[in-house]
Amino acid sequence: MYPLVSIITVNYNQTQVTRELLASLRNITYPSVEIFVVDNGSIDDSILSLREEFPDINIIQTNSNLGFAGGNNVGIKASRGEFILLLNNDVEVTPRFLEPMVEIFERYPKAGMASPKVLYPDGKTIQYAGARSIKA
């Protein structure tokens, strides 16, 4: 049994950027996900076109701009997953990106968070590769 992963992204007047993320999510191999797009009060037609092109995703409209954290909080409240993945909408994922992160949580149940390696669009240069800890 695969634990459900809730993938949440926030959109604000960036239809094309969000569309590219959702298109890449269509190709993931992990079999148990729910996808949420939280629209932070876009004034363009983002939601109409995204609903039409991606009928299998959950779209939540906030009707106001709650910011990144506020939008993610709305998505988290609606999610059902055992794990929650917050993705910026300007990210594109590779098909097997999710399996290693779920494996981390299964192997180390006390882990509070995990992050994939993030590459720049050239596909070679590392933008972020995680940290051992985050201190307040």
Side-chain angles (χ1 to χ4, degrees):
M1 184 81 175
Y2 293 91
L4 179 64
V5 176
S6 300
I7 300 173
I8 301 166
T9 193
V10 176
N11 178 70
Y12 180 69
N13 296 324
Q14 293 185 317
T15 307
Q16 186 57 35
V17 173
T18 302
R19 178 178 286 116
E20 290 167 10
L21 166 62
L22 295 174
S24 72
L25 286 170
R26 277 186 171 160
N27 297 318
I28 63 173
T29 56
Y30 189 80
S32 184
V33 299
E34 62 179 359
I35 300 170
F36 291 87
V37 172
V38 178
D39 185 74
N40 257 351
S42 293
I43 56 173
D44 64 6
D45 66 348
S46 296
I47 294 310
L48 295 176
S49 62
L50 292 176
R51 269 199 178 120
E52 187 175 300
E53 190 172 346
F54 302 96
D56 53 330
I57 64 167
N58 302 289
I59 295 178
I60 302 170
Q61 292 179 268
T62 64
N63 297 319
S64 63
N65 189 346
L66 303 177
F68 181 75
N72 277 310
N73 285 336
V74 168
I76 290 167
K77 286 178 186 172
S79 69
R80 300 176 296 118
E82 183 176 339
F83 302 118
I84 296 172
L85 175 63
L86 306 177
L87 280 180
N88 289 351
N89 69 330
D90 64 349
V91 170
E92 292 181 40
V93 301
T94 57
R96 292 194 45 82
F97 89 105
L98 200 47
E99 284 86 347
M101 288 196 299
V102 172
E103 288 171 20
I104 289 290
F105 290 111
E106 289 177 334
R107 191 170 182 188
Y108 303 100
K110 291 185 178 181
M113 60 187 230
S115 174
K117 178 171 48 175
V118 179
L119 302 176
Y120 283 103
D122 67 10
K124 298 175 187 170
T125 308
I126 296 174
Q127 181 180 18
Y128 182 77
R132 292 190 57 78
S133 68
I134 296 176
K135 296 181 182 182

